[in-house]
Amino acid sequence: MWGHIALFIIKYRQWLLGLIAVFTVTMAWFAKDVEMTYDFAQVVSPKDPDMVYFQQFKKTFGEDGNILVLGMQDSSVYQLAKFNQLHQLTDTLAKVEGVSGVLGITRLIQIEKDTVNSKFVTTPIFKAAPRSQHELDSLMRVVNSIEFYKGQIIAPRTGATLLAVTLDPKYLNSNRRQAVMNHILGHAERFEKATGIKMHYAGLPYVRSTMTSKVAGEMKFFAMLVVIVMGITLFLFFRTWSAVVFPLLVVVIVMICCVGSIVLLGYKINLLTGLIPSILVVIGVPNCTYLLSRYHYDYRKSGNQILAMTRVIRKIGLITLMNNTTTAIGFVVFTFTDIAILYQFGMVATINIFIAFIISFIMIPAVFTYLPPPTEKQLEHLDSKPLLGIVHFLDHIVLHKRGTIYLAALGLLVIAGVGIRKIEAVSFMVDDLPKSSSVNTDLDFFQAHFSGVMPLEFVVDTGKPKGLLKLPNLQKIDQFERFLRTQPELSPPISMVTFIKAATQAFYNGQPEFYRLPNNDDKNFILSYLANSQGSTTKASPDSTKTTAAQGTAGSSMNKLLNSFVDKNSQKARISLKIADIGSHKLDTLIMRRIEPAMKRIFANSGMKVTRTGTTVIFTKGNEYVIGTLRESLMWAFGLVAVVVLLLFRSFRTIFYALTPNLFTLALTAGIMGYFGIALKPSTALIFVIALGIDGDNSIHLLAKFRQEMAMAGRTVTDAITNTLSEAGTSMIYTSIVLFIGFSIFAFSEFGGTKALGVLMGASLLITNFSNLVLLPALLVTFEHGKDEKIPDNAPIRHYDDNYHEEDDDMDQNLQRLSVERAKVKTT
């Protein structure tokens, strides 16, 4: 079959190249519409109970991760000139398209008692920009007297302040988000330049915006860098520019197809799918390298380009397809999960691995049968003395030092076992960025002054409609909030209770000591004032209507504020906090060992239920899914590799030979991960499954050659191993060098996960040379005794190498070649 495929490719090469060109242009047209995303929730299954509850929470109370925070710590901001510039900045940000609200010092409101109508009303503290320093100082005393804002807008200890900019979810979850972010940051940077006040930025919208920008930048940078490095590597191997230009053209086409397929599948580029174009370069170049090296080998034997190329495709077409299939297995297993970010990564990578195979197996034969034949200088790489020296050394230790090999392997496994015990499953919201990045620096600022900015939510369900109107229930919630205030990792909570406390303070004319819940003596008055306040609007002077149009979480009316923290039945109350980015492990400790016991103690026998939720909880829970998915994916990957080996060799014993080196490689890679302190998280967990797919290529390649050598009459196991290492070992070393150089480039990434991918895949590729070129041959010499000399008739690898081309096969190929040449003459 592969012989007919080879002749078809060469005979219709012009048409096939034209089809590739049309296909590339079409995919490029779709690729231009690609979008970026950085969605934390994608690492959790949509069917997970916590995820389902989180979606219900957002429907009831709104988004929790749509606030961009701008912070500053400079006493000069409380001077009249700079304060009015802050006033102007706040008003300007409120007018930006896509901003639904801004909360800052200049837009704070206070609750006042309307004794005439027996209700509360809200009024802006700064009805207009202050005209004197005395007026500003007087109004700031009002601000500082309102307990509700302490730790929320102004840090009591340091005087740092912030602006909370709420983004419209319609913009936040669309490609318009970046434009909104650019406008906001542009205004903030102009304020910083005009006043000299250092601005700090945080919040999930900012983190997402920064990460997506960096993902886009790195995707382009690494794609170009990998192409350049691969080009240099190819030139050093083959000493001809044609062997550089056309393989790189193949991978450029594949990269275009990759981006186009992302659009066609309805996906967006994220932190993982952004790596795929560069990974495809690393995987696609070895396909071309393997084809060209075998083409040169066969051309030197036959002296005929078309004959050499048809024989190459006939001999290695199936095995290369199986190798690509094995590589794809490392990615396809991610499509068995319902975790969006992993599913999309696996789907896009799998599709484009086979696209890379098809394009390389069409373009390389088609182009190189048009080009002049390779010269003697270009064929010199086949006799590379350093490479042959390595192969002879490997042959020697496999045949004569197997005891040393097994002892070394056992020792390495013991050392790796110690490293594996050091692996921790922990992730941070922004830990893929270096500690020195501006994002982490700004995050440290907010954690120092406001205990962090990452959202954490609790929902208290009283179990009955109107349950929140009962004072004992409010007192339980207040008791829980007082506990939360004692946790240094958390910001002061905001809830219906804190709002009622603020109303009580207002009832007693703003005296700070009355910032509390109503007691039995005054509850009827205060609650009746609150009931009468439903729907009351903010009082404002005529010239401050726009200024008070959006007040963030404080709202412009009692009704709007209460809707943010109470459901429509007054049964469930939301407690909103901010938390430092302490990592998934510490977060679990905080919740399970400190908060959960306090919840059980406080709400025991109350009939009330408290549930934690929020973007931070969902993101960190993704770590649990990653570990579970890794185990499941590895089992699937091993099973699928075993199926491929069984179909290819029709031998159950060969499965043992194929999987043993892979287990060894993965164990040592995990050990390195532990010793280097690389945490297990979404961006690093996929390394093992990818490594299994790539490592399986080499195992199948070597076993195929060995089985064919063993099938030859009179061939002993030692002779078969020597010939296998001489021929298959050479190409394996070539491809390992290409893959190692390609993946090592990722070690220079800014992202921690990408850097870990480069380091671990580079290490894995070095280990796989030992496991497949030393350990696997040693196992074959030890356990094979010539009993399987005859390959089963139904084994697809029977025609793997040219040793199985008899003279009549070659004559048939020559006759068919002549017919191709006549067809070519007619077309010209």
Side-chain angles (χ1 to χ4, degrees):
M1 182 183 76
W2 286 96
H4 293 296
I5 292 174
L7 291 170
F8 176 83
I9 290 172
I10 295 173
K11 184 175 182 179
Y12 297 103
R13 52 194 167 184
Q14 291 178 324
W15 289 100
L16 292 173
L17 290 175
L19 286 174
I20 290 176
V22 173
F23 178 68
T24 303
V25 171
T26 303
M27 296 303 284
W29 174 260
F30 287 110
K32 68 180 177 59
D33 297 324
V34 71
E35 296 180 18
M36 306 291 298
T37 185
Y38 192 74
D39 188 353
F40 292 108
Q42 286 188 329
V43 295
V44 178
S45 167
K47 299 177 183 178
D48 177 77
D50 286 342
M51 186 56 146
V52 173
Y53 189 88
F54 179 54
Q55 297 300 334
Q56 294 173 349
F57 167 86
K58 290 196 292 183
K59 290 180 181 179
T60 304
F61 300 106
E63 291 280 348
D64 71 328
N66 61 337
I67 297 178
L68 168 65
V69 185
L70 290 71
M72 63 202 85
Q73 185 194 19
D74 193 322
S75 59
S76 67
V77 76
Y78 301 109
Q79 297 173 4
L80 183 63
K82 292 185 178 181
F83 186 87
N84 284 337
Q85 286 177 299
L86 176 63
H87 198 295
Q88 184 180 3
L89 170 66
T90 308
D91 291 349
T92 301
L93 293 179
K95 299 173 185 176
V96 172
E97 184 180 2
V99 172
S100 60
V102 180
L103 180 63
I105 292 179
T106 66
R107 299 170 70 82
L108 295 181
I109 62 170
Q110 62 179 334
I111 303 173
E112 294 181 343
K113 180 173 62 171
D114 182 352
T115 55
V116 175
N117 298 303
S118 299
K119 67 178 182 180
F120 293 112
V121 293
T122 56
T123 60
I125 297 175
F126 295 89
K127 297 179 175 63
R131 295 181 176 86
S132 66
Q133 187 67 43
H134 175 75
E135 182 185 357
L136 172 59
D137 293 341
S138 176
L139 292 173
M140 285 304 303
R141 282 193 290 271
V142 175
V143 171
N144 291 325
S145 70
I146 301 176
E147 295 292 324
F148 182 86
Y149 295 127
K150 290 184 178 179
Q152 303 292 346
I153 303 300
I154 301 175
R157 293 182 293 104
T158 64
T161 186
L162 56 78
L163 291 174
V165 182
T166 304
L167 302 185
D168 187 334
K170 295 178 182 178
Y171 287 80
L172 186 65
N173 300 318
S174 72
N175 58 358
R176 295 178 290 178
R177 178 184 63 231
Q178 195 61 48
V180 177
M181 292 295 302
N182 291 339
H183 286 147
I184 294 172
L185 298 180
H187 291 307
E189 288 168 4
R190 284 189 287 274
F191 169 81
E192 182 177 13
K193 186 177 181 180
T195 62
I197 297 175
K198 173 66 177 176
M199 300 293 289
H200 301 272
Y201 309 96
L204 293 185
Y206 177 70
V207 172
R208 288 171 175 172
S209 174
T210 303
M211 296 289 272
T212 50
S213 297
K214 288 185 177 293
V215 167
E218 279 214 350
M219 186 181 75
K220 296 173 185 175
F221 173 74
F222 277 111
M224 290 188 294
L225 184 60
V226 169
V227 167
I228 292 171
V229 172
M230 292 293 98
I232 294 172
T233 305
L234 289 171
F235 184 78
L236 292 176
F237 281 166
F238 296 106
R239 303 292 182 179
T240 173
W241 287 110
S242 60
V244 174
V245 172
F246 293 104
L248 292 185
L249 180 60
V250 169
V251 297
V252 168
I253 292 172
V254 173
M255 284 195 291
I256 293 172
C257 294
C258 174
V259 179
S261 65
I262 291 175
V263 177
L264 286 173
L265 291 170
Y267 303 153
K268 297 180 181 180
I269 292 178
N270 54 48
L271 194 58
L272 292 185
T273 53
L275 294 174
I276 296 177
S278 299
I279 292 176
L280 289 173
V281 175
V282 176
I283 293 174
V285 168
N287 276 346
C288 300
T289 303
Y290 193 31
L291 275 168
L292 288 175
S293 62
R294 295 297 301 183
Y295 166 62
H296 285 182
Y297 180 82
D298 276 280
Y299 175 76
R300 189 166 67 173
K301 294 180 67 175
S302 67
N304 187 291
Q305 285 179 271
I306 294 179
L307 177 60
M309 191 61 79
T310 53
R311 291 175 64 184
V312 166
I313 297 174
R314 177 179 177 181
K315 289 182 293 183
I316 69 170
L318 176 63
I319 199 65
T320 306
L321 175 61
M322 290 297 103
N323 285 344
N324 279 263
T325 301
T326 308
T327 302
I329 285 173
F331 296 91
V332 75
V333 290
F334 292 119
T335 63
F336 299 161
T337 177
D338 54 2
I339 300 176
I341 192 171
L342 295 179
Y343 178 86
Q344 293 174 13
F345 177 79
M347 180 63 71
V348 174
T350 301
I351 291 172
N352 286 279
I353 283 172
F354 288 109
I355 289 177
F357 169 77
I358 293 170
I359 291 177
S360 61
F361 259 70
I362 291 175
M363 280 195 64
I364 296 301
V367 170
F368 280 86
T369 51
Y370 267 127
L371 295 175
T375 64
E376 286 297 323
K377 183 178 180 180
Q378 295 167 2
L379 298 175
E380 287 178 356
H381 68 92
L382 296 173
D383 301 314
S384 171
K385 291 183 179 180
L387 191 59
L388 292 177
I390 293 173
V391 170
H392 290 156
F393 171 75
L394 295 176
D395 182 60
H396 172 74
I397 61 174
V398 165
L399 296 181
H400 305 290
K401 303 290 183 180
R402 290 190 298 282
T404 303
I405 291 172
Y406 296 142
L407 285 175
L410 181 61
L412 289 172
L413 285 175
V414 172
I415 295 172
V418 176
I420 292 172
R421 294 175 63 88
K422 298 177 180 289
I423 295 178
E424 291 187 354
V426 60
S427 61
F428 294 81
M429 298 288 276
V430 294
D431 66 341
D432 274 326
L433 288 175
K435 295 298 181 183
S436 59
S437 72
S438 60
V439 174
N440 278 309
T441 302
D442 287 348
L443 192 61
D444 290 340
F445 170 86
F446 288 101
Q447 291 180 172
H449 297 284
F450 297 97
S451 299
V453 293
M454 299 301 176
L456 177 63
E457 307 283 347
F458 291 90
V459 176
V460 181
D461 186 350
T462 61
K464 296 179 180 179
K466 307 295 183 181
L468 293 174
L469 302 181
K470 296 181 179 180
L471 187 58
N473 291 342
L474 295 176
Q475 290 171 339
K476 287 288 185 182
I477 297 174
D478 184 37
Q479 185 181 352
F480 180 53
E481 289 185 5
R482 288 200 303 270
F483 166 79
L484 294 175
R485 287 177 181 270
T486 65
Q487 306 306 306
E489 301 92 344
L490 303 176
S491 71
I494 301 177
S495 70
M496 176 188 181
V497 167
T498 57
F499 175 71
I500 294 175
K501 286 182 176 182
T504 305
Q505 182 183 358
F507 185 82
Y508 288 101
N509 302 316
Q511 298 180 52
E513 62 269 23
F514 286 97
Y515 182 74
R516 59 168 174 77
L517 283 176
N519 54 36
N520 289 325
D521 295 329
D522 55 22
K523 68 176 182 179
N524 291 331
F525 296 102
I526 294 173
L527 293 179
S528 66
Y529 267 60
L530 283 172
N532 295 333
S533 303
Q534 295 297 313
S536 64
T537 56
T538 303
K539 287 184 179 179
S541 58
D543 61 344
S544 63
T545 302
K546 293 182 179 178
T547 304
T548 59
Q551 298 293 344
T553 55
S556 60
S557 67
M558 296 286 186
N559 196 40
K560 181 177 179 181
L561 189 145
L562 289 175
N563 286 341
S564 299
F565 294 97
V566 182
D567 71 340
K568 62 182 180 180
N569 297 321
S570 297
Q571 176 177 324
K572 297 179 181 179
R574 168 190 182 184
I575 303 175
S576 183
L577 308 100
K578 303 299 179 186
I579 184 172
D581 190 15
I582 58 178
S584 57
H585 182 70
K586 290 184 178 179
L587 179 63
D588 287 341
T589 301
L590 171 64
I591 292 177
M592 303 305 296
R593 297 188 181 181
R594 285 191 269 167
I595 296 179
E596 291 279 0
M599 286 168 45
K600 292 178 181 178
R601 182 181 69 254
I602 293 169
F603 293 98
N605 303 318
S606 68
M608 302 167 71
K609 179 182 178 182
V610 184
T611 306
R612 69 181 186 275
T613 188
T615 301
T616 302
V617 171
I618 294 300
F619 175 76
T620 52
K621 184 167 187 178
N623 230 38
E624 301 174 15
Y625 272 95
V626 166
I627 296 171
T629 300
L630 174 62
R631 295 194 189 103
E632 185 178 338
S633 297
L634 277 175
M635 288 189 291
W636 273 107
F638 273 107
L640 291 175
V641 170
V643 170
V644 170
V645 172
L646 183 62
L647 291 175
L648 193 60
F649 294 95
R650 299 292 196 269
S651 168
F652 285 97
R653 186 164 55 183
T654 307
I655 295 175
F656 164 76
Y657 293 132
L659 296 186
T660 299
N662 296 317
L663 285 169
F664 179 82
T665 300
L666 294 183
L668 264 62
T669 302
I672 292 172
M673 191 173 180
Y675 282 117
F676 279 85
I678 300 174
L680 190 63
K681 53 187 176 181
S683 54
T684 58
L686 54 88
I687 291 169
F688 295 97
V689 186
I690 296 174
L692 173 61
I694 294 176
D695 195 38
D697 290 356
N698 289 330
S699 300
I700 292 175
H701 185 52
L702 187 136
L703 286 168
K705 179 61 180 172
F706 174 76
R707 288 300 185 194
Q708 294 292 354
E709 290 290 335
M710 285 294 294
M712 293 186 64
R715 185 62 55 87
T716 63
V717 173
T718 55
D719 289 340
I721 286 293
T722 298
N723 287 345
T724 298
L725 290 175
S726 178
E727 295 189 27
T730 302
S731 60
M732 287 168 62
I733 293 173
Y734 267 143
T735 54
S736 293
I737 292 172
V738 172
L739 288 169
F740 175 79
I741 293 173
F743 275 111
S744 295
I745 292 172
F746 294 121
F748 299 99
S749 170
E750 262 196 299
F751 291 103
T754 308
K755 183 179 293 186
L757 174 67
V759 171
L760 292 177
M761 285 305 304
S764 175
L765 288 163
L766 292 178
I767 297 169
T768 194
N769 277 324
F770 173 83
S771 62
N772 282 293
L773 293 177
V774 178
L775 180 60
L776 176 56
L779 291 173
L780 290 171
V781 173
T782 302
F783 295 105
E784 288 290 324
H785 303 288
K787 297 178 181 179
D788 296 328
E789 292 178 359
K790 182 176 175 58
I791 298 177
D793 291 336
N794 59 349
I797 63 164
R798 290 184 60 82
H799 299 293
Y800 170 66
D801 196 80
D802 66 328
N803 292 323
Y804 300 93
H805 286 273
E806 302 296 338
E807 290 299 325
D808 56 342
D809 292 327
D810 282 344
M811 183 174 294
D812 179 62
Q813 294 290 328
N814 278 301
L815 290 173
Q816 294 185 59
R817 174 182 58 83
L818 290 175
S819 64
V820 171
E821 291 180 338
R822 291 192 190 100
K824 185 172 68 172
V825 170
K826 290 180 181 179
T827 58
T828 56

